[in-house]
Amino acid sequence: MSTSEPLSVVLAGGGTAGHVNPLLSVADELRSREPQAKFLVLGTESGLEADLVPERGYELRAIPRVPLPRRPSTDLLRLPGRLTGAVRAAEAAIDEIGARVVVGFGGYVSTPAYLAARRRGVPVVIHEQNARPGLANRLGARWAAAVGATFPGTSLPGAVTVGLPLRAEIAALVAEREADPAAARTRAAGELGLDPHLPTVLVTGGSSGALNVNRAVAGAAGELLAAGLQVVHLTGRGKDEDVRTTVGALAQTHDTSRYHVREYLSQMHLALAAADLVVARSGAGTVCELAALGLPAVYVPLPIGNGEQRLNATGVVEAGGGVVVDDADLTPAWVAAQVPSLVGDQDRLAAMAAAAGSVGVRDAAARMADMVTAAAGAAS
């Protein structure tokens, strides 16, 4: 790669945090290496990227969403027209900054970005976050210069396992915990109004929440409190009322002040810093962040979709860093029987933490940035 010509990159990915956060992590890594680099991010006007990308200092180009129908439907008939317009918009973005590489993270906007790059003769680098690849990345991988995968065994041509690029605040927490985990915990607990000395369980179903996870854990609140645990329960937006009612009914017999209910926490890294055990869905981001932090977890895969959440958790669970429970099997009785005994067994919890950390990847953003600069250099 010519040292006189700054790197210019179009990045494509949007709609969900699973696409946007890795994109921003890789962009940040590239920008830290080459402050003069030029970036354009392709996304939608309605996804998380509409806020997150400009907040991080990158320019967003909104292009039409192009869902790829999985089965014959009227959407299939509309596909050519939608795709043509989106590809032209992506080509315009490539031309605008003279992009030397297009980096895609899957999702609706990646398909037109990959097709536009192919038409312009610009190399494509792909990152696939899930163990089971999505349609866009399965298409783009056919001619990609490089493919990075979060998990081993991802079925994409030429895929190299690089891990999941971590959000900046999670990467900072990894470093903080490595330097002084007790201090990290105390600081985070103080900011959240928690007791840093109590064994703490974090419960989350993601930003939208998980109704059955909420019911199962709240239904076992009495047993969790009786065991001396502190609980941080993130219910998801608009899903906190039932949990508050269930926990509040215990106030006559239990110290419910140790059961902290919130709809959402923007500073999620603080809850992770204070936690001893996490009960969560097994989206790729969750699994990889917990492994990088060395946090034991009870994973409850989303019971719909194509089964990728169960696959996402396979590696860390096989290593001993977590347990998987089917959504249908996660009941108040299961939580009451399993969670207090697990948190109370410090030896087992420590072994799980070490196992999770042993499979955690902490430098995925750097690995992806290496792929991007190599592809751009080869095209020069």
Side-chain angles (χ1 to χ4, degrees), residues 200-207 209-221 224 229-236 243 259-265 268 271-272 275-281 286 290 296 298 300 330 335 339:
T200 302
V201 177
L202 169 64
V203 183
T204 175
S207 58
L211 188 59
N212 191 54
V213 172
N214 288 344
R215 288 173 174 168
V217 179
L224 300 178
L229 303 185
Q230 177 171 241
V231 180
V232 178
H233 192 150
L234 307 179
T235 66
V243 173
Y259 200 110
H260 302 260
V261 181
R262 295 181 181 226
E263 286 185 285
Y264 178 76
L265 183 63
M268 183 67 173
L272 294 171
D276 295 289
L277 177 72
V278 180
V279 180
R281 291 295 193 206
T286 297
L290 296 183
V298 174
V300 189
L330 188 78
V335 174
V339 171

mmCIF file of all heavy atoms in Angstrom, residues 200-207 209-221 224 229-236 243 259-265 268 271-272 275-281 286 290 296 298 300 330 335 339:
data_model
loop_
_atom_site.group_PDB
_atom_site.id
_atom_site.type_symbol
_atom_site.label_atom_id
_atom_site.label_comp_id
_atom_site.label_asym_id
_atom_site.label_seq_id
_atom_site.Cartn_x
_atom_site.Cartn_y
_atom_site.Cartn_z
ATOM 1 N N THR A 200 -23.081 -11.280 42.881
ATOM 2 C CA THR A 200 -24.008 -10.546 42.019
ATOM 3 C C THR A 200 -24.336 -11.312 40.742
ATOM 4 O O THR A 200 -23.437 -11.788 40.043
ATOM 5 C CB THR A 200 -23.411 -9.171 41.663
ATOM 6 O OG1 THR A 200 -23.151 -8.447 42.883
ATOM 7 C CG2 THR A 200 -24.351 -8.362 40.792
ATOM 8 N N VAL A 201 -25.627 -11.386 40.444
ATOM 9 C CA VAL A 201 -26.110 -12.024 39.221
ATOM 10 C C VAL A 201 -26.694 -10.945 38.317
ATOM 11 O O VAL A 201 -27.525 -10.150 38.744
ATOM 12 C CB VAL A 201 -27.193 -13.082 39.522
ATOM 13 C CG1 VAL A 201 -27.732 -13.694 38.225
ATOM 14 C CG2 VAL A 201 -26.641 -14.168 40.436
ATOM 15 N N LEU A 202 -26.235 -10.927 37.083
ATOM 16 C CA LEU A 202 -26.766 -10.010 36.072
ATOM 17 C C LEU A 202 -27.691 -10.798 35.147
ATOM 18 O O LEU A 202 -27.324 -11.861 34.645
ATOM 19 C CB LEU A 202 -25.625 -9.395 35.264
ATOM 20 C CG LEU A 202 -26.019 -8.609 34.007
ATOM 21 C CD1 LEU A 202 -26.849 -7.387 34.368
ATOM 22 C CD2 LEU A 202 -24.759 -8.194 33.229
ATOM 23 N N VAL A 203 -28.886 -10.266 34.937
ATOM 24 C CA VAL A 203 -29.886 -10.914 34.085
ATOM 25 C C VAL A 203 -30.227 -9.973 32.940
ATOM 26 O O VAL A 203 -30.575 -8.813 33.164
ATOM 27 C CB VAL A 203 -31.184 -11.222 34.873
ATOM 28 C CG1 VAL A 203 -32.188 -11.968 33.983
ATOM 29 C CG2 VAL A 203 -30.869 -12.013 36.130
ATOM 30 N N THR A 204 -30.107 -10.467 31.694
ATOM 31 C CA THR A 204 -30.425 -9.625 30.549
ATOM 32 C C THR A 204 -30.878 -10.467 29.376
ATOM 33 O O THR A 204 -30.334 -11.539 29.112
ATOM 34 C CB THR A 204 -29.214 -8.763 30.126
ATOM 35 O OG1 THR A 204 -29.544 -8.040 28.938
ATOM 36 C CG2 THR A 204 -27.982 -9.617 29.853
ATOM 37 N N GLY A 205 -31.894 -9.970 28.694
ATOM 38 C CA GLY A 205 -32.340 -10.605 27.457
ATOM 39 C C GLY A 205 -32.001 -9.766 26.248
ATOM 40 O O GLY A 205 -32.552 -9.960 25.175
ATOM 41 N N GLY A 206 -31.080 -8.808 26.418
ATOM 42 C CA GLY A 206 -30.772 -7.883 25.343
ATOM 43 C C GLY A 206 -31.642 -6.638 25.453
ATOM 44 O O GLY A 206 -32.498 -6.520 26.316
ATOM 45 N N SER A 207 -31.418 -5.691 24.546
ATOM 46 C CA SER A 207 -32.098 -4.396 24.643
ATOM 47 C C SER A 207 -33.612 -4.521 24.553
ATOM 48 O O SER A 207 -34.345 -3.729 25.142
ATOM 49 C CB SER A 207 -31.595 -3.455 23.546
ATOM 50 O OG SER A 207 -31.810 -4.022 22.267
ATOM 51 N N GLY A 209 -35.222 -7.194 25.610
ATOM 52 C CA GLY A 209 -35.668 -8.046 26.708
ATOM 53 C C GLY A 209 -36.054 -9.441 26.235
ATOM 54 O O GLY A 209 -36.098 -9.738 25.049
ATOM 55 N N ALA A 210 -36.314 -10.319 27.189
ATOM 56 C CA ALA A 210 -36.713 -11.702 26.900
ATOM 57 C C ALA A 210 -37.762 -12.085 27.926
ATOM 58 O O ALA A 210 -37.455 -12.264 29.108
ATOM 59 C CB ALA A 210 -35.509 -12.633 26.971
ATOM 60 N N LEU A 211 -38.989 -12.198 27.486
ATOM 61 C CA LEU A 211 -40.108 -12.361 28.400
ATOM 62 C C LEU A 211 -39.956 -13.577 29.300
ATOM 63 O O LEU A 211 -40.175 -13.499 30.520
ATOM 64 C CB LEU A 211 -41.422 -12.443 27.613
ATOM 65 C CG LEU A 211 -42.709 -12.424 28.432
ATOM 66 C CD1 LEU A 211 -42.791 -11.153 29.270
ATOM 67 C CD2 LEU A 211 -43.922 -12.522 27.502
ATOM 68 N N ASN A 212 -39.566 -14.715 28.729
ATOM 69 C CA ASN A 212 -39.469 -15.913 29.561
ATOM 70 C C ASN A 212 -38.311 -15.838 30.547
ATOM 71 O O ASN A 212 -38.413 -16.331 31.673
ATOM 72 C CB ASN A 212 -39.330 -17.172 28.693
ATOM 73 C CG ASN A 212 -39.501 -18.433 29.511
ATOM 74 O OD1 ASN A 212 -40.502 -18.612 30.212
ATOM 75 N ND2 ASN A 212 -38.511 -19.318 29.464
ATOM 76 N N VAL A 213 -37.201 -15.221 30.131
ATOM 77 C CA VAL A 213 -36.090 -15.031 31.065
ATOM 78 C C VAL A 213 -36.556 -14.156 32.222
ATOM 79 O O VAL A 213 -36.271 -14.440 33.394
ATOM 80 C CB VAL A 213 -34.878 -14.404 30.344
ATOM 81 C CG1 VAL A 213 -33.789 -14.032 31.351
ATOM 82 C CG2 VAL A 213 -34.317 -15.360 29.297
ATOM 83 N N ASN A 214 -37.286 -13.089 31.909
ATOM 84 C CA ASN A 214 -37.808 -12.214 32.956
ATOM 85 C C ASN A 214 -38.698 -12.978 33.933
ATOM 86 O O ASN A 214 -38.566 -12.863 35.157
ATOM 87 C CB ASN A 214 -38.617 -11.065 32.339
ATOM 88 C CG ASN A 214 -37.737 -10.039 31.645
ATOM 89 O OD1 ASN A 214 -36.527 -9.997 31.851
ATOM 90 N ND2 ASN A 214 -38.353 -9.204 30.828
ATOM 91 N N ARG A 215 -39.626 -13.772 33.412
ATOM 92 C CA ARG A 215 -40.551 -14.507 34.262
ATOM 93 C C ARG A 215 -39.837 -15.546 35.111
ATOM 94 O O ARG A 215 -40.129 -15.695 36.309
ATOM 95 C CB ARG A 215 -41.595 -15.202 33.387
ATOM 96 C CG ARG A 215 -42.613 -14.265 32.765
ATOM 97 C CD ARG A 215 -43.496 -15.016 31.775
ATOM 98 N NE ARG A 215 -44.571 -14.172 31.260
ATOM 99 C CZ ARG A 215 -45.336 -14.504 30.221
ATOM 100 N NH1 ARG A 215 -45.134 -15.660 29.601
ATOM 101 N NH2 ARG A 215 -46.283 -13.691 29.807
ATOM 102 N N ALA A 216 -38.911 -16.266 34.509
ATOM 103 C CA ALA A 216 -38.244 -17.346 35.230
ATOM 104 C C ALA A 216 -37.399 -16.815 36.384
ATOM 105 O O ALA A 216 -37.451 -17.343 37.505
ATOM 106 C CB ALA A 216 -37.376 -18.158 34.275
ATOM 107 N N VAL A 217 -36.618 -15.763 36.125
ATOM 108 C CA VAL A 217 -35.732 -15.244 37.166
ATOM 109 C C VAL A 217 -36.529 -14.500 38.235
ATOM 110 O O VAL A 217 -36.313 -14.704 39.444
ATOM 111 C CB VAL A 217 -34.642 -14.354 36.560
ATOM 112 C CG1 VAL A 217 -33.739 -13.800 37.663
ATOM 113 C CG2 VAL A 217 -33.811 -15.142 35.551
ATOM 114 N N ALA A 218 -37.466 -13.668 37.816
ATOM 115 C CA ALA A 218 -38.279 -12.953 38.808
ATOM 116 C C ALA A 218 -39.082 -13.930 39.649
ATOM 117 O O ALA A 218 -39.277 -13.720 40.857
ATOM 118 C CB ALA A 218 -39.217 -11.967 38.112
ATOM 119 N N GLY A 219 -39.529 -15.035 39.044
ATOM 120 C CA GLY A 219 -40.287 -16.045 39.780
ATOM 121 C C GLY A 219 -39.471 -16.749 40.837
ATOM 122 O O GLY A 219 -40.026 -17.354 41.765
ATOM 123 N N ALA A 220 -38.139 -16.680 40.697
ATOM 124 C CA ALA A 220 -37.246 -17.291 41.692
ATOM 125 C C ALA A 220 -36.595 -16.240 42.576
ATOM 126 O O ALA A 220 -35.639 -16.544 43.309
ATOM 127 C CB ALA A 220 -36.163 -18.110 40.987
ATOM 128 N N ALA A 221 -37.114 -15.021 42.546
ATOM 129 C CA ALA A 221 -36.487 -13.924 43.290
ATOM 130 C C ALA A 221 -36.376 -14.229 44.780
ATOM 131 O O ALA A 221 -35.369 -13.904 45.428
ATOM 132 C CB ALA A 221 -37.271 -12.630 43.078
ATOM 133 N N LEU A 224 -33.392 -16.478 45.329
ATOM 134 C CA LEU A 224 -32.145 -15.760 45.072
ATOM 135 C C LEU A 224 -31.806 -14.819 46.221
ATOM 136 O O LEU A 224 -30.647 -14.752 46.669
ATOM 137 C CB LEU A 224 -32.255 -14.972 43.761
ATOM 138 C CG LEU A 224 -32.524 -15.779 42.478
ATOM 139 C CD1 LEU A 224 -32.649 -14.849 41.282
ATOM 140 C CD2 LEU A 224 -31.431 -16.805 42.239
ATOM 141 N N LEU A 229 -27.971 -13.285 47.501
ATOM 142 C CA LEU A 229 -27.474 -12.757 46.232
ATOM 143 C C LEU A 229 -27.990 -11.345 45.983
ATOM 144 O O LEU A 229 -29.039 -10.935 46.473
ATOM 145 C CB LEU A 229 -27.913 -13.657 45.071
ATOM 146 C CG LEU A 229 -27.513 -15.129 45.147
ATOM 147 C CD1 LEU A 229 -27.913 -15.853 43.864
ATOM 148 C CD2 LEU A 229 -26.020 -15.276 45.400
ATOM 149 N N GLN A 230 -27.236 -10.629 45.196
ATOM 150 C CA GLN A 230 -27.639 -9.325 44.672
ATOM 151 C C GLN A 230 -27.938 -9.534 43.190
ATOM 152 O O GLN A 230 -27.166 -10.190 42.483
ATOM 153 C CB GLN A 230 -26.499 -8.331 44.863
ATOM 154 C CG GLN A 230 -26.720 -6.941 44.316
ATOM 155 C CD GLN A 230 -25.590 -6.007 44.770
ATOM 156 O OE1 GLN A 230 -25.805 -5.026 45.454
ATOM 157 N NE2 GLN A 230 -24.370 -6.329 44.376
ATOM 158 N N VAL A 231 -29.062 -9.012 42.729
ATOM 159 C CA VAL A 231 -29.478 -9.236 41.347
ATOM 160 C C VAL A 231 -29.620 -7.901 40.625
ATOM 161 O O VAL A 231 -30.225 -6.967 41.148
ATOM 162 C CB VAL A 231 -30.818 -10.005 41.278
ATOM 163 C CG1 VAL A 231 -31.237 -10.236 39.820
ATOM 164 C CG2 VAL A 231 -30.718 -11.330 42.020
ATOM 165 N N VAL A 232 -29.051 -7.828 39.432
ATOM 166 C CA VAL A 232 -29.278 -6.700 38.523
ATOM 167 C C VAL A 232 -30.062 -7.272 37.349
ATOM 168 O O VAL A 232 -29.530 -8.053 36.559
ATOM 169 C CB VAL A 232 -27.966 -6.071 38.036
ATOM 170 C CG1 VAL A 232 -28.250 -4.940 37.053
ATOM 171 C CG2 VAL A 232 -27.141 -5.562 39.215
ATOM 172 N N HIS A 233 -31.330 -6.911 37.261
ATOM 173 C CA HIS A 233 -32.223 -7.490 36.264
ATOM 174 C C HIS A 233 -32.600 -6.419 35.253
ATOM 175 O O HIS A 233 -33.345 -5.490 35.557
ATOM 176 C CB HIS A 233 -33.471 -8.047 36.964
ATOM 177 C CG HIS A 233 -34.319 -8.901 36.076
ATOM 178 N ND1 HIS A 233 -35.079 -9.950 36.549
ATOM 179 C CD2 HIS A 233 -34.547 -8.871 34.733
ATOM 180 C CE1 HIS A 233 -35.720 -10.520 35.532
ATOM 181 N NE2 HIS A 233 -35.417 -9.862 34.428
ATOM 182 N N LEU A 234 -32.081 -6.572 34.028
ATOM 183 C CA LEU A 234 -32.393 -5.658 32.940
ATOM 184 C C LEU A 234 -33.495 -6.298 32.105
ATOM 185 O O LEU A 234 -33.278 -7.283 31.420
ATOM 186 C CB LEU A 234 -31.151 -5.393 32.092
ATOM 187 C CG LEU A 234 -29.917 -4.924 32.879
ATOM 188 C CD1 LEU A 234 -28.738 -4.705 31.940
ATOM 189 C CD2 LEU A 234 -30.216 -3.660 33.667
ATOM 190 N N THR A 235 -34.677 -5.729 32.170
ATOM 191 C CA THR A 235 -35.863 -6.393 31.633
ATOM 192 C C THR A 235 -36.094 -6.158 30.150
ATOM 193 O O THR A 235 -36.810 -6.917 29.501
ATOM 194 C CB THR A 235 -37.120 -5.911 32.366
ATOM 195 O OG1 THR A 235 -37.323 -4.515 32.074
ATOM 196 C CG2 THR A 235 -36.990 -6.115 33.865
ATOM 197 N N GLY A 236 -35.504 -5.107 29.604
ATOM 198 C CA GLY A 236 -35.871 -4.659 28.272
ATOM 199 C C GLY A 236 -36.917 -3.568 28.382
ATOM 200 O O GLY A 236 -37.680 -3.512 29.344
ATOM 201 N N VAL A 243 -42.004 -7.646 36.394
ATOM 202 C CA VAL A 243 -40.887 -8.032 37.257
ATOM 203 C C VAL A 243 -40.939 -7.246 38.569
ATOM 204 O O VAL A 243 -40.770 -7.816 39.660
ATOM 205 C CB VAL A 243 -39.540 -7.812 36.530
ATOM 206 C CG1 VAL A 243 -38.373 -8.056 37.486
ATOM 207 C CG2 VAL A 243 -39.436 -8.723 35.309
ATOM 208 N N TYR A 259 -32.487 -6.522 44.960
ATOM 209 C CA TYR A 259 -32.949 -6.928 43.625
ATOM 210 C C TYR A 259 -33.204 -5.647 42.826
ATOM 211 O O TYR A 259 -34.199 -4.969 43.010
ATOM 212 C CB TYR A 259 -34.223 -7.769 43.725
ATOM 213 C CG TYR A 259 -34.485 -8.620 42.495
ATOM 214 C CD1 TYR A 259 -34.353 -10.006 42.539
ATOM 215 C CD2 TYR A 259 -34.863 -8.037 41.285
ATOM 216 C CE1 TYR A 259 -34.592 -10.785 41.412
ATOM 217 C CE2 TYR A 259 -35.098 -8.807 40.162
ATOM 218 C CZ TYR A 259 -34.962 -10.182 40.236
ATOM 219 O OH TYR A 259 -35.191 -10.945 39.118
ATOM 220 N N HIS A 260 -32.280 -5.319 41.924
ATOM 221 C CA HIS A 260 -32.297 -4.055 41.193
ATOM 222 C C HIS A 260 -32.909 -4.279 39.809
ATOM 223 O O HIS A 260 -32.362 -5.032 39.001
ATOM 224 C CB HIS A 260 -30.884 -3.499 41.051
ATOM 225 C CG HIS A 260 -30.196 -3.269 42.362
ATOM 226 N ND1 HIS A 260 -30.099 -2.020 42.944
ATOM 227 C CD2 HIS A 260 -29.593 -4.137 43.224
ATOM 228 C CE1 HIS A 260 -29.451 -2.124 44.095
ATOM 229 N NE2 HIS A 260 -29.138 -3.398 44.288
ATOM 230 N N VAL A 261 -34.047 -3.651 39.557
ATOM 231 C CA VAL A 261 -34.753 -3.810 38.289
ATOM 232 C C VAL A 261 -34.585 -2.542 37.451
ATOM 233 O O VAL A 261 -34.857 -1.435 37.914
ATOM 234 C CB VAL A 261 -36.256 -4.087 38.510
ATOM 235 C CG1 VAL A 261 -36.974 -4.266 37.168
ATOM 236 C CG2 VAL A 261 -36.451 -5.308 39.396
ATOM 237 N N ARG A 262 -34.134 -2.731 36.227
ATOM 238 C CA ARG A 262 -34.029 -1.625 35.280
ATOM 239 C C ARG A 262 -34.539 -2.111 33.929
ATOM 240 O O ARG A 262 -34.363 -3.278 33.569
ATOM 241 C CB ARG A 262 -32.574 -1.157 35.104
ATOM 242 C CG ARG A 262 -31.934 -0.546 36.349
ATOM 243 C CD ARG A 262 -30.521 -0.125 36.021
ATOM 244 N NE ARG A 262 -29.824 0.444 37.171
ATOM 245 C CZ ARG A 262 -29.114 1.566 37.134
ATOM 246 N NH1 ARG A 262 -29.042 2.252 36.005
ATOM 247 N NH2 ARG A 262 -28.486 2.009 38.191
ATOM 248 N N GLU A 263 -35.121 -1.194 33.177
ATOM 249 C CA GLU A 263 -35.514 -1.554 31.817
ATOM 250 C C GLU A 263 -34.281 -1.753 30.937
ATOM 251 O O GLU A 263 -34.214 -2.679 30.142
ATOM 252 C CB GLU A 263 -36.380 -0.450 31.201
ATOM 253 C CG GLU A 263 -37.796 -0.370 31.717
ATOM 254 C CD GLU A 263 -38.583 0.669 30.950
ATOM 255 O OE1 GLU A 263 -38.374 1.874 31.178
ATOM 256 O OE2 GLU A 263 -39.397 0.260 30.109
ATOM 257 N N TYR A 264 -33.339 -0.876 31.096
ATOM 258 C CA TYR A 264 -32.219 -0.808 30.157
ATOM 259 C C TYR A 264 -31.062 -0.109 30.846
ATOM 260 O O TYR A 264 -31.275 0.714 31.738
ATOM 261 C CB TYR A 264 -32.644 -0.025 28.904
ATOM 262 C CG TYR A 264 -31.562 0.168 27.873
ATOM 263 C CD1 TYR A 264 -31.176 -0.870 27.036
ATOM 264 C CD2 TYR A 264 -30.934 1.412 27.719
ATOM 265 C CE1 TYR A 264 -30.178 -0.694 26.081
ATOM 266 C CE2 TYR A 264 -29.938 1.609 26.763
ATOM 267 C CZ TYR A 264 -29.575 0.555 25.941
ATOM 268 O OH TYR A 264 -28.598 0.736 25.001
ATOM 269 N N LEU A 265 -29.861 -0.424 30.459
ATOM 270 C CA LEU A 265 -28.682 0.217 31.027
ATOM 271 C C LEU A 265 -27.746 0.591 29.892
ATOM 272 O O LEU A 265 -27.196 -0.288 29.218
ATOM 273 C CB LEU A 265 -27.980 -0.726 32.014
ATOM 274 C CG LEU A 265 -26.756 -0.181 32.743
ATOM 275 C CD1 LEU A 265 -27.144 0.997 33.630
ATOM 276 C CD2 LEU A 265 -26.097 -1.275 33.577
ATOM 277 N N MET A 268 -23.711 -0.686 29.961
ATOM 278 C CA MET A 268 -23.773 -2.118 30.232
ATOM 279 C C MET A 268 -22.454 -2.652 30.795
ATOM 280 O O MET A 268 -22.435 -3.591 31.594
ATOM 281 C CB MET A 268 -24.119 -2.857 28.936
ATOM 282 C CG MET A 268 -24.283 -4.351 29.092
ATOM 283 S SD MET A 268 -25.735 -4.751 30.103
ATOM 284 C CE MET A 268 -25.764 -6.531 29.913
ATOM 285 N N ALA A 271 -22.393 -3.021 34.576
ATOM 286 C CA ALA A 271 -23.047 -4.206 35.119
ATOM 287 C C ALA A 271 -22.177 -5.437 34.949
ATOM 288 O O ALA A 271 -22.097 -6.296 35.834
ATOM 289 C CB ALA A 271 -24.399 -4.413 34.440
ATOM 290 N N LEU A 272 -21.495 -5.532 33.825
ATOM 291 C CA LEU A 272 -20.601 -6.671 33.589
ATOM 292 C C LEU A 272 -19.414 -6.643 34.554
ATOM 293 O O LEU A 272 -18.965 -7.683 35.028
ATOM 294 C CB LEU A 272 -20.111 -6.654 32.140
ATOM 295 C CG LEU A 272 -21.188 -6.894 31.077
ATOM 296 C CD1 LEU A 272 -20.625 -6.638 29.679
ATOM 297 C CD2 LEU A 272 -21.739 -8.316 31.174
ATOM 298 N N ALA A 275 -20.535 -8.091 37.927
ATOM 299 C CA ALA A 275 -21.222 -9.386 37.950
ATOM 300 C C ALA A 275 -20.282 -10.559 38.249
ATOM 301 O O ALA A 275 -19.119 -10.555 37.849
ATOM 302 C CB ALA A 275 -21.924 -9.626 36.621
ATOM 303 N N ASP A 276 -20.840 -11.559 38.943
ATOM 304 C CA ASP A 276 -20.156 -12.844 39.129
ATOM 305 C C ASP A 276 -20.686 -13.903 38.165
ATOM 306 O O ASP A 276 -19.967 -14.818 37.781
ATOM 307 C CB ASP A 276 -20.374 -13.347 40.563
ATOM 308 C CG ASP A 276 -19.734 -12.435 41.585
ATOM 309 O OD1 ASP A 276 -18.494 -12.421 41.658
ATOM 310 O OD2 ASP A 276 -20.470 -11.724 42.295
ATOM 311 N N LEU A 277 -21.962 -13.783 37.816
ATOM 312 C CA LEU A 277 -22.615 -14.720 36.906
ATOM 313 C C LEU A 277 -23.629 -13.937 36.085
ATOM 314 O O LEU A 277 -24.288 -13.035 36.593
ATOM 315 C CB LEU A 277 -23.331 -15.834 37.680
ATOM 316 C CG LEU A 277 -24.117 -16.857 36.845
ATOM 317 C CD1 LEU A 277 -23.155 -17.785 36.092
ATOM 318 C CD2 LEU A 277 -25.057 -17.673 37.725
ATOM 319 N N VAL A 278 -23.758 -14.311 34.803
ATOM 320 C CA VAL A 278 -24.698 -13.642 33.912
ATOM 321 C C VAL A 278 -25.703 -14.672 33.399
ATOM 322 O O VAL A 278 -25.333 -15.787 33.027
ATOM 323 C CB VAL A 278 -23.967 -12.986 32.717
ATOM 324 C CG1 VAL A 278 -24.970 -12.279 31.797
ATOM 325 C CG2 VAL A 278 -22.904 -12.013 33.216
ATOM 326 N N VAL A 279 -26.967 -14.299 33.406
ATOM 327 C CA VAL A 279 -28.021 -15.096 32.773
ATOM 328 C C VAL A 279 -28.478 -14.299 31.559
ATOM 329 O O VAL A 279 -28.959 -13.170 31.704
ATOM 330 C CB VAL A 279 -29.210 -15.341 33.718
ATOM 331 C CG1 VAL A 279 -30.288 -16.168 33.017
ATOM 332 C CG2 VAL A 279 -28.745 -16.046 34.992
ATOM 333 N N ALA A 280 -28.318 -14.869 30.342
ATOM 334 C CA ALA A 280 -28.521 -14.064 29.142
ATOM 335 C C ALA A 280 -28.862 -14.926 27.939
ATOM 336 O O ALA A 280 -28.654 -16.140 27.939
ATOM 337 C CB ALA A 280 -27.258 -13.257 28.842
ATOM 338 N N ARG A 281 -29.368 -14.274 26.896
ATOM 339 C CA ARG A 281 -29.444 -14.875 25.585
ATOM 340 C C ARG A 281 -28.019 -15.105 25.067
ATOM 341 O O ARG A 281 -27.055 -14.595 25.640
ATOM 342 C CB ARG A 281 -30.205 -13.958 24.624
ATOM 343 C CG ARG A 281 -31.693 -13.813 24.898
ATOM 344 C CD ARG A 281 -32.430 -15.098 24.719
ATOM 345 N NE ARG A 281 -33.886 -14.925 24.680
ATOM 346 C CZ ARG A 281 -34.731 -15.877 25.013
ATOM 347 N NH1 ARG A 281 -34.286 -17.053 25.410
ATOM 348 N NH2 ARG A 281 -36.042 -15.671 24.946
ATOM 349 N N THR A 286 -23.014 -11.018 22.908
ATOM 350 C CA THR A 286 -23.041 -11.386 24.328
ATOM 351 C C THR A 286 -22.027 -12.469 24.630
ATOM 352 O O THR A 286 -21.234 -12.368 25.575
ATOM 353 C CB THR A 286 -24.453 -11.873 24.713
ATOM 354 O OG1 THR A 286 -25.377 -10.801 24.536
ATOM 355 C CG2 THR A 286 -24.490 -12.333 26.159
ATOM 356 N N LEU A 290 -18.677 -11.770 27.012
ATOM 357 C CA LEU A 290 -18.536 -12.471 28.288
ATOM 358 C C LEU A 290 -17.273 -13.325 28.305
ATOM 359 O O LEU A 290 -16.576 -13.409 29.320
ATOM 360 C CB LEU A 290 -19.771 -13.332 28.561
ATOM 361 C CG LEU A 290 -21.094 -12.571 28.744
ATOM 362 C CD1 LEU A 290 -22.224 -13.543 29.086
ATOM 363 C CD2 LEU A 290 -20.975 -11.512 29.819
ATOM 364 N N PRO A 296 -18.535 -16.177 33.736
ATOM 365 C CA PRO A 296 -19.372 -17.369 33.588
ATOM 366 C C PRO A 296 -20.810 -16.959 33.266
ATOM 367 O O PRO A 296 -21.265 -15.884 33.673
ATOM 368 C CB PRO A 296 -19.304 -18.034 34.975
ATOM 369 C CG PRO A 296 -18.216 -17.333 35.716
ATOM 370 C CD PRO A 296 -18.077 -15.972 35.112
ATOM 371 N N VAL A 298 -25.062 -18.408 32.269
ATOM 372 C CA VAL A 298 -26.136 -19.326 31.896
ATOM 373 C C VAL A 298 -26.709 -18.774 30.603
ATOM 374 O O VAL A 298 -27.283 -17.682 30.584
ATOM 375 C CB VAL A 298 -27.230 -19.396 32.980
ATOM 376 C CG1 VAL A 298 -28.410 -20.236 32.496
ATOM 377 C CG2 VAL A 298 -26.662 -19.957 34.283
ATOM 378 N N VAL A 300 -29.267 -18.829 27.461
ATOM 379 C CA VAL A 300 -30.629 -19.267 27.120
ATOM 380 C C VAL A 300 -30.873 -18.876 25.664
ATOM 381 O O VAL A 300 -31.330 -17.765 25.376
ATOM 382 C CB VAL A 300 -31.677 -18.612 28.035
ATOM 383 C CG1 VAL A 300 -33.044 -19.250 27.806
ATOM 384 C CG2 VAL A 300 -31.273 -18.691 29.498
ATOM 385 N N LEU A 330 -36.111 -23.152 31.095
ATOM 386 C CA LEU A 330 -35.772 -22.109 32.070
ATOM 387 C C LEU A 330 -37.047 -21.705 32.811
ATOM 388 O O LEU A 330 -37.845 -20.916 32.321
ATOM 389 C CB LEU A 330 -35.147 -20.898 31.388
ATOM 390 C CG LEU A 330 -34.603 -19.856 32.382
ATOM 391 C CD1 LEU A 330 -33.270 -20.303 32.947
ATOM 392 C CD2 LEU A 330 -34.462 -18.487 31.718
ATOM 393 N N VAL A 335 -34.230 -21.973 37.971
ATOM 394 C CA VAL A 335 -33.389 -20.877 38.464
ATOM 395 C C VAL A 335 -33.160 -21.019 39.963
ATOM 396 O O VAL A 335 -32.028 -20.883 40.452
ATOM 397 C CB VAL A 335 -34.046 -19.517 38.136
ATOM 398 C CG1 VAL A 335 -33.249 -18.380 38.785
ATOM 399 C CG2 VAL A 335 -34.128 -19.318 36.627
ATOM 400 N N VAL A 339 -29.130 -21.558 40.195
ATOM 401 C CA VAL A 339 -28.330 -20.328 40.253
ATOM 402 C C VAL A 339 -27.697 -20.094 41.627
ATOM 403 O O VAL A 339 -26.491 -19.831 41.717
ATOM 404 C CB VAL A 339 -29.164 -19.120 39.788
ATOM 405 C CG1 VAL A 339 -28.415 -17.805 40.047
ATOM 406 C CG2 VAL A 339 -29.484 -19.251 38.300
#
